[in-house]
Amino acid sequence: MRRKQAKIATDPVAFDAFYRRHVDAVTRFLARRVDDPHTVADLVAEVFVAVLDSAHTYRADLGSEIAWLYGVARKTISAERRREYRRHQLTDRVGGRRQLDTDDVARLEERIDAERHARQMLTAITELPKGEREVLELVVVDQLTVTEAALALGIRQSTAKTRLHRARQTLKALPLVMEGTPG
């Protein structure tokens, strides 16, 4: 499988198939974490550019393509948040965004709205320690296995299992009543 991933970096047809297979999942992942359609569109593009640069690092024996992609997406979001923080430090205006047409904005707004409950859940778990929260997000929200979440986070599977158990125990004590959910 490693050879297959390396091929997407050099074969446009293989990359196109890989992109089409995973673009919706990556967009959903990002829309759960970001509420601006322009930023989501930019981050999706950045994730797939990063995939071209790092395709050789994928190891199928450690997890699925989607787990690897979520790891790339997490790093892309972190980098964007650091850039945004620096940008806000330097100026009050945010510039340099590519213009989206009306259909693109409408589609991304629909996706962002569809992920609203997931964003609310992510907000509710902010009380968890960072490591526990990250594993829980990847397993519960993004539906990765514990092994895949460990791969995406760059930690051992046993560490991911422990963090997930602790997160679940902590959440049992929290009132998680969200808008639109029974309870």
Side-chain angles (χ1 to χ4, degrees):
M1 191 63 144
R2 195 172 198 172
R3 178 181 264 174
K4 179 181 171 186
Q5 291 308 109
K7 187 176 181 181
I8 66 171
T10 58
D11 180 357
V13 173
F15 178 77
D16 184 59
F18 179 86
Y19 174 84
R20 289 177 189 278
R21 192 167 54 247
H22 297 296
V23 67
D24 287 339
V26 170
T27 303
R28 283 191 306 273
F29 181 91
L30 294 167
R32 280 190 285 273
R33 289 157 175 82
V34 177
D35 62 1
D36 176 65
H38 294 279
T39 303
V40 171
D42 290 345
L43 290 173
V44 168
E46 285 184 42
V47 166
F48 285 99
V49 167
V51 161
L52 289 172
D53 291 337
S54 62
H56 65 281
T57 66
Y58 173 69
R59 291 189 43 205
D61 58 319
L62 295 179
S64 67
E65 290 176 343
I66 200 67
W68 177 69
L69 273 169
Y70 285 175
V72 173
R74 285 182 68 255
K75 290 175 185 168
T76 303
I77 289 171
S78 292
E80 172 61 20
R81 288 183 175 148
R82 285 189 302 274
R83 279 191 305 268
E84 193 64 29
Y85 176 76
R86 287 191 301 267
R87 203 177 346 229
H88 276 54
Q89 292 288 349
L90 299 173
T91 181
D92 291 334
R93 288 177 37 143
V94 177
R97 290 191 171 164
R98 73 175 178 89
Q99 294 298 314
L100 296 175
D101 65 30
T102 305
D103 290 339
D104 288 336
V105 171
R107 183 176 39 80
L108 288 170
E109 285 174 341
E110 286 174 12
R111 180 63 54 87
I112 289 167
D113 187 54
E115 300 299 339
R116 178 173 37 94
H117 292 295
R119 277 195 313 279
Q120 290 172 337
M121 192 278 301
L122 289 172
T123 299
I125 65 173
T126 58
E127 295 178 36
L128 294 173
K130 181 182 177 191
E132 293 174 18
R133 185 176 63 247
E134 291 172 337
V135 172
L136 186 73
E137 288 175 8
L138 290 170
V139 172
V140 175
V141 177
D142 299 311
Q143 300 181 350
L144 295 183
T145 65
V146 175
T147 302
E148 292 170 331
L151 172 67
L153 294 169
I155 60 175
R156 292 188 313 246
Q157 181 179 358
S158 60
T159 302
K161 284 180 181 180
T162 300
R163 289 179 183 178
L164 181 61
H165 175 74
R166 287 180 184 157
R168 286 177 171 160
Q169 294 302 313
T170 302
L171 285 179
K172 284 180 183 178
L174 294 177
L176 289 178
V177 178
M178 293 185 285
E179 174 187 319
T181 59

